[in-house]
Amino acid sequence: MSERVSSEKLLDILGDTESRALLVSLRQNSQSAKELGETTDLSLPTVYRRLDTLEELDLISSATEVRADGTHYRQYICTFDKSVVSLSPEGFVVELSVDDLTSVSKARSDDD
C-alpha cells in the first residue's frame, strides 16, 4: 500500500458484510464487477460502491482487460490474504499481509 490507512477505516470496511463477500470472492480468483455481482448476489451499484472503497484502501487492485472483440472491462483481485487486529494502549492496529509474509500495510492506531 502506498500510504497508511487508519485502523478505523479498515475495521469499518472489514466489518461490512457486502465488502467481506467481495473480498472472499476475489481471494478465490480475479473477477469483473459483473461476475462479482453474480457470485455474491449483490446489485451492480452496490458492487461498484464497495469496489471503489476497497480500491481506495488498497485492499484490492484492478486492471483493464480487453476481450477479443475489442470491448474492455476492469478485472479485480484481492491484495492480501491475512489480517491481524491487535489492541494496544494507543488503540487498535490492523496489519495486512500476503502469503510470503511481507507486510502490505500496517494501519495506524486510532489515536494517530
Side-chain angles (χ1 to χ4, degrees):
M1 292 186 171
S2 56
E3 63 183 71
R4 292 164 64 98
V5 177
S6 76
S7 291
E8 184 176 338
K9 286 182 182 180
L10 287 173
L11 290 172
D12 284 347
I13 198 72
L14 294 174
D16 178 67
T17 305
E18 288 93 358
S19 296
R20 283 196 318 267
L22 294 173
L23 288 168
V24 168
S25 191
L26 290 173
R27 261 322 276 160
Q28 295 169 10
N29 59 329
S30 65
Q31 297 176 60
S32 68
K34 182 179 177 183
E35 292 169 325
L36 283 165
E38 293 168 357
T39 319
T40 60
D41 200 29
L42 296 172
S43 70
L44 273 180
T46 298
V47 169
Y48 278 115
R49 278 193 307 273
R50 295 309 190 282
L51 289 174
D52 286 345
T53 303
L54 291 167
E55 197 161 27
E56 284 173 19
L57 297 175
D58 289 331
L59 299 177
I60 63 170
S61 63
S62 65
T64 301
E65 300 286 330
V66 180
R67 292 190 175 121
D69 66 3
T71 60
H72 64 281
Y73 63 99
R74 295 205 65 77
Q75 194 79 355
Y76 298 88
I77 191 159
C78 186
T79 60
F80 72 101
D81 67 353
K82 183 178 180 182
S83 62
V84 176
V85 178
S86 304
L87 177 59
S88 73
E90 292 79 33
F92 285 96
V93 176
V94 179
E95 294 179 280
L96 304 175
S97 60
V98 292
D99 284 334
D100 67 4
L101 302 178
T102 304
S103 182
V104 196
S105 164
K106 183 171 181 178
R108 297 175 187 261
S109 67
D110 292 333
D111 295 334
D112 283 351

